[in-house]
């Protein structure tokens, strides 16, 4: 241990959760790997050999080199901007209201967010049962998780809030080869990676919405099936269990309480490929003219990776609007679990009309497309995408494309509309 | 098995009837107006490891993984099984859809075993045109684009190492460890578990939309000028142009494109 490191670090405490994984602390970073030591070698070697400040690049490089077939891990850095990286089905909770939970479940790679350390400490916790008498100052210990308090001020005693309702972790599929490329074979772990008793199953991937089937299948209890024969009748589509009561969620969003995300937006958005017009407007790849200003885009303009911009506005019947830059769950008393939504989803109470279910529909952002999914509502959801068009009733749980200017009818007359962004025409 | 709703506070209503009273207009349903496909073997191949097929409004394109033996076997088996399992009467419920993709995966595995290959693999994309709706689904890096009003939109996100890194917010070209691996698939048919990561979405289809399904031999040489200049031609001329041009632009891989023009019936 290094007292010098401890005295200069803004980490007030690093408590250890008992377990069989590995927890390593450096001067301005910590790495927790959820698995036996033998499986953690590549990550640990990359982390310990990295130059100060390069820990994230080193560890994520090691993950890529292993075709993402590494044990689940959490990487927290606090030199300069604090960042949190999670790969695999671990659930990391913080008391930063902008980042209540982060998990890599459902993502084939990792997810990364910035922590806000403005004037007050932030608790970051993975697993439960951190021993308060432990305080790892530097070095490596076996652990099943950790609780770190990061920040300039004195740590608060307030416990981290209740976890977001969990979903089953999605399978992290192994990277293999494409038609031209064969990845070197990656040795299978000799021992299965144990799920530590203190590590909770994770929620769905906060950054990806394109594949909800795995999370849905698992959450609804469908076994890891050998698929039924083609003629075998499939069970009726199951409906999610209802919430016993609408949970009190800190960041539950109502229109009246809606607070636009901060300008930097760094902790909120997933990432998409985009091309930028000469005036700086972001556009989907492959289009020829800017959707905002009409400026022509040069064919050679390559896409860049940017944080997810809002694609449209959600407008309620009373005229209130909010930008759609992440999943939104609508209903009388919506909750994420019933909607199979990720932990970042906004909850919007839309109506007391009895034809609207508690959790009625979910709107998702998938790259440059909006989709809407009826969450098994009792009365159903109808969509009208263009004036004069016949209403179409959505198939429950099937994502449907949601174009700008569409109107969604929630069980009857209650409706919401999708409007273009103020500086953008209808697409 | 029937599972009733537990939201007892919700009074059931007939949303279709309720809304029909609010919006009055003529119905129009999406139908297949026209379609065509083209496929060319790559310059360094002994057999074309791409395959495509269609039946009653279901269109499938598959790309056998060249890094594994039996790529052509896998692609052909994937197309045949998809046409069997993903017909227009197939339920779109995600659980049902996933189970059917599992059956297709089993068919690919079985075809590989019959051909004496212990490892086969294929990427696949599917377009299901049914009265009033068009559903798309994909596994791997066979892509689906939509051409509408002069705009080309990619509707799928590749299941590749490069796409995974991008979705995590990093430019894969800046990662040393990713070099030579960005095109490697993270989800595909022909493995006991890797097929589970797949997409499914019902599109907002409009008359005269063109849906283009193509393998990486075509989309890696994507040239917007070629696509936009050819999209107004007949479906056959359009796909011929895509396949020919990608070859002239240096693609050595097998090249397959299938285009569907959405028509209208009222």
């Amino acid at each position: 241990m290094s007292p010098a490191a401890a005295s200069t670090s803004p980490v007030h405490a690093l408590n250890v959760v008992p377990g069989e994984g590995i927890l390593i602390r450096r001067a301005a970073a910590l790495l927790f790997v959820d698995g036996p030591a033998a499986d953690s070698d590549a990550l640990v070697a990359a982390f310990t050999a990295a130059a100060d400040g390069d820990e994230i690049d080193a560890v994520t490089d090691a993950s890529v080199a292993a075709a993402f077939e590494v044990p689940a891990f959490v990487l927290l850095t606090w030199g300069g901007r604090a960042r949190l990286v999670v790969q695999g089905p671990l659930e990391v909770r913080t008391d930063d209201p902008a980042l209540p939970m982060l998990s890599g479940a459902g993502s084939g790679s990792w997810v990364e967010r910035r922590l806000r350390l403005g004037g007050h400490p932030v608790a970051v916790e993975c697993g439960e049962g951190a021993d308060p008498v432990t305080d790892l100052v530097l070095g490596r210990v076996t652990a099943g998780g950790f609780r770190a308090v990061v920040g300039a001020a004195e740590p608060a005693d307030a416990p981290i809030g209740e976890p977001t309702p969990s979903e089953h972790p999605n399978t992290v599929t192994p990277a293999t080869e494409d038609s031209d490329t064969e990845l070197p074979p990656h040795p299978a772990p000799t021992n299965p990676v144990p799920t530590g008793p203190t590590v909770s199953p994770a929620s769905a991937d906060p950054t990806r919405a394109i594949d909800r089937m795995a999370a849905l299948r698992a959450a609804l209890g469908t076994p890891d099936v050998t698929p039924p024969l083609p003629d075998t009748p499939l069970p009726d589509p199951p409906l999610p269990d209802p919430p016993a009561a609408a949970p009190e969620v800190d960041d539950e969003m109502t229109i009246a309480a809606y607070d636009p995300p901060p300008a930097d937006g760094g902790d909120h958005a997933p990432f998409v490929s985009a091309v930028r017009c000469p005036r700086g407007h972001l556009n989907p790849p492959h289009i020829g003219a800017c959707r905002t200003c009409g400026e022509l885009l040069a064919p050679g303009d390559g896409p860049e990776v940017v944080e997810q911009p809002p694609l449209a506005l959600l407008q309620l019947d009373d005229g209130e609007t909010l930008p759609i830059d992440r999943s939104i769950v609508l209903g009388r008393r919506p909750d994420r679990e019933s909607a199979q939504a990720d932990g970042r989803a906004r909850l919007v109470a839309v109506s007391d009309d009895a034809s609207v279910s508690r959790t009625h529909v979910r709107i998702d952002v998938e790259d440059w497309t909006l989709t809407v999914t009826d969450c098994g509502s009792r009365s159903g959801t109808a969509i009208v995408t263009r004036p004069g068009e016949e209403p179409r009733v959505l198939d429950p749980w099937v994502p449907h494309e949601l174009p700008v200017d569409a109107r969604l009818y929630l069980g009857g007359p209650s409706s919401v509309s999708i409007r273009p962004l103020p500086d953008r025409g209808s697409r | 098995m029937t599972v009733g709703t537990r939201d007892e506070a919700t009074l059931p209503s007939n949303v279709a009837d309720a809304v029909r009273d609010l919006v009055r207009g003529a119905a129009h349903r999406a139908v297949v107006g026209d379609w065509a496909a083209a496929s060319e073997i790559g310059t360094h191949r002994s057999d074309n490891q791409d395959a495509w097929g269609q039946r009653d409004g279901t269109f499938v394109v598959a790309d056998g993984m060249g890094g594994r033996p039996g790529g052509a076997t896998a692609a052909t088996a994937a197309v045949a099984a998809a046409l069997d399992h993903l017909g227009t009467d197939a339920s779109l419920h995600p659980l049902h859809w996933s189970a059917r993709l599992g059956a297709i995966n089993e068919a690919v595995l079985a075809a590989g075993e019959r051909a004496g290959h212990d490892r086969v693999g294929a990427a696949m994309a599917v377009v299901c045109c049914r009265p009033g709706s068009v559903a798309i689904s994909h596994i791997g890096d066979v892509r689906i684009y939509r051409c509408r009003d002069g705009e080309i939109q990619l509707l799928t996100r590749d299941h590749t190492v490069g796409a995974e890194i991008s979705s995590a917010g990093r430019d894969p070209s800046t990662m040393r460890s990713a070099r030579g691996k960005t095109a490697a698939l993270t989800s595909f048919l022909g493995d006991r578990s890797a097929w589970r990561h797949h997409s499914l979405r019902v599109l907002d289809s409009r008359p005269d939309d063109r849906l283009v399904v193509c393998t990486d031999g075509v989309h890696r040489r994507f040239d917007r000028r070629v696509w936009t200049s050819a999209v107004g031609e007949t479906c056959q001329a359009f796909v011929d142009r895509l396949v020919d041009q990608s070859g002239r632009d240096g693609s050595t891989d097998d090249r397959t494109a299938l285009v569907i023009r959405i028509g209208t019936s009222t």
Side-chain angles (χ1 to χ4, degrees):
Chain A
M1 292 186 181
S2 164
S7 65
T8 57
S9 167
V11 172
H12 298 289
L14 178 53
N15 307 139
V16 178
V17 174
E20 297 179 355
I22 294 172
L23 179 64
I24 309 175
R25 176 173 171 180
R26 296 176 41 147
L30 70 82
L31 174 71
F32 168 64
V33 185
D34 181 34
D39 295 338
S40 308
D41 286 350
L43 297 176
V44 170
F47 180 72
T48 54
D52 287 341
D54 287 342
E55 293 91 352
I56 292 179
D57 283 350
V59 171
T60 53
D61 264 356
S63 173
V64 173
F68 308 122
E69 289 192 1
V70 293
F73 70 84
V74 180
L75 177 58
L76 174 64
T77 66
W78 53 87
R81 283 185 169 183
R83 301 201 71 88
L84 182 61
V85 178
V86 184
Q87 178 170 333
L90 291 172
E91 185 176 282
V92 181
R93 289 167 286 141
T94 89
D95 57 5
D96 177 351
L99 189 65
M101 191 282 294
L102 186 65
S103 170
S107 173
S109 57
W110 62 88
V111 293
E112 179 178 343
R113 296 288 185 273
R114 186 161 65 88
L115 278 177
R116 299 176 192 285
L117 301 181
H120 61 85
V122 172
V124 181
E125 188 171 46
C126 179
E128 296 174 355
D131 186 345
V133 304
T134 60
D135 185 6
L136 181 63
V137 179
L138 208 64
R140 164 178 171 162
V141 295
T142 58
F146 66 88
R147 182 178 190 274
V149 180
V150 188
E154 288 301 311
D157 292 332
I160 293 177
E162 287 302 306
T164 303
S166 62
E167 295 180 3
H168 191 283
N170 194 0
T171 303
V172 178
T173 53
T176 54
E177 61 271 32
D178 76 336
S179 58
D180 297 317
T181 314
E182 178 84 26
L183 286 176
H186 189 71
T190 52
N191 297 304
V193 178
T195 301
T198 58
V199 179
S200 304
S203 294
D205 169 31
T207 67
R208 300 192 61 167
I210 194 166
D211 175 32
R212 295 190 175 277
M213 278 66 74
L216 175 63
R217 180 176 56 245
L220 295 179
T222 299
D224 204 18
V225 294
T226 297
L229 295 173
D231 295 333
T232 303
L234 291 162
D236 289 345
L239 297 169
D241 289 330
E248 296 297 327
V249 183
D250 288 345
D251 59 345
E252 178 166 345
M253 191 68 65
T254 64
I255 296 300
Y258 173 64
D259 184 20
D264 64 11
D267 295 336
H268 297 274
F271 297 88
V272 296
S273 290
V275 291
R276 200 179 291 271
C277 84
R279 296 185 183 180
H281 301 127
L282 295 173
N283 292 276
H286 310 303
I287 71 170
C290 177
R291 286 180 167 184
T292 302
C293 65
E295 204 60 47
L296 291 179
L297 298 168
D301 288 346
E304 57 184 295
V305 178
V306 301
E307 292 172 349
Q308 175 72 62
L311 299 187
L313 299 175
L314 176 68
Q315 183 176 52
L316 277 76
D317 270 349
D318 63 4
E320 293 285 349
T321 61
L322 71 158
I324 308 175
D325 59 355
R326 67 178 75 179
S327 296
I328 297 175
V329 181
L330 301 167
R332 280 186 293 111
R333 297 172 65 191
D335 74 90
R336 297 182 181 87
E337 187 175 26
S338 295
Q340 306 298 332
D342 64 54
R344 299 174 59 250
R346 289 192 183 112
L347 304 176
V348 177
V350 290
S351 172
D352 285 332
D353 190 298
S355 63
V356 179
S357 291
R358 287 175 183 151
T359 299
H360 201 105
V361 295
R362 187 187 72 229
I363 295 172
D364 292 312
V365 180
E366 300 181 1
D367 289 344
W368 290 92
T369 302
L370 297 177
T371 63
V372 58
T373 303
D374 179 90
C375 301
S377 66
R378 171 174 278 196
S379 298
T381 303
I383 184 172
V384 175
T385 56
R386 289 174 290 283
E389 187 186 65
E390 183 81 356
R392 171 190 166 81
V393 179
L394 303 184
D395 303 310
W397 294 111
V398 179
H400 288 66
E401 186 176 4
L402 180 59
V404 171
D405 291 332
R407 180 173 284 268
L408 295 172
Y409 293 89
L410 311 183
S414 296
S415 67
V416 297
S417 298
I418 309 302
R419 309 299 303 165
L421 294 170
D423 60 348
R424 179 182 297 175
S426 174
R427 282 182 282 153
Chain B
M1 179 180 70
T2 300
V3 181
T5 178
R6 314 278 179 83
D7 188 356
E8 302 298 342
T10 301
L11 297 178
S13 67
N14 186 322
V15 65
D17 288 347
V19 174
R20 204 166 279 120
D21 290 339
L22 299 172
V23 286
R24 301 174 188 279
H28 58 250
R29 293 176 177 273
V31 297
V32 176
D34 190 13
W35 68 273
S39 186
E40 289 281 345
I41 189 171
T43 56
H44 63 289
R45 303 286 196 197
S46 59
D47 55 354
N48 190 341
Q49 300 189 350
D50 289 351
W52 64 271
Q54 69 83 30
R55 184 188 301 161
D56 299 333
T58 296
F59 299 86
V60 187
V61 173
D63 181 354
M65 289 160 61
R68 293 186 168 196
T73 300
T76 304
V79 169
L83 294 176
D84 286 343
H85 291 289
L86 302 178
T88 53
D89 59 339
S91 164
L92 292 179
H93 189 282
L95 292 178
H96 297 177
W97 193 263
S98 185
R100 290 174 187 274
L101 287 177
I104 296 167
N105 187 61
E106 289 295 319
V108 172
L109 284 165
E113 289 175 8
R114 283 196 302 273
H117 304 301
D118 59 350
R119 296 170 71 237
V120 296
M124 180 182 77
V126 181
V127 177
C128 285
C129 299
R130 50 186 71 200
S133 70
V134 177
I136 62 171
S137 178
H138 86 295
I139 299 175
D141 65 349
V142 179
R143 291 183 174 179
I144 303 174
Y145 295 85
R146 177 171 57 205
C147 307
R148 173 188 290 172
D149 298 334
E151 189 172 285
I152 301 166
Q153 183 179 6
L154 176 61
L155 300 176
T156 52
R157 174 183 275 192
D158 293 345
H159 299 133
T160 62
V161 170
E164 296 285 0
I165 294 172
S166 294
S167 70
R170 192 74 57 83
D171 180 355
S173 66
T174 65
M175 300 190 72
R176 231 183 7 255
S177 55
R179 284 178 193 159
K181 300 174 184 171
T182 54
L185 298 185
T186 55
S187 187
F188 56 92
L189 297 165
D191 185 273
R192 291 289 174 196
S193 61
W195 63 274
R196 296 180 187 282
H197 192 180
H198 52 264
S199 70
L200 173 63
R201 180 192 302 166
V202 174
L203 297 181
D204 168 46
S205 292
R206 303 184 185 183
D208 218 30
D209 280 352
R210 261 81 164 175
L211 299 176
V212 180
V213 191
C214 58
T215 58
D216 58 350
V218 172
H219 66 66
R220 284 189 190 178
R221 303 289 170 176
F222 177 88
D223 185 330
R224 194 179 70 231
R225 288 169 299 190
V226 172
W227 283 52
T228 52
S229 68
V231 70
E233 301 175 4
T234 65
C235 287
Q236 191 62 59
F238 185 21
V239 291
D240 287 345
R241 181 88 179 277
L242 298 185
V243 170
D244 291 345
Q245 190 66 47
S246 55
R248 280 200 292 273
D249 289 345
S251 177
T252 59
D253 200 357
D254 303 326
R255 310 184 306 283
T256 299
L258 185 153
V259 65
I260 303 151
R261 181 177 63 79
I262 303 299
T264 306
S265 72
T266 56

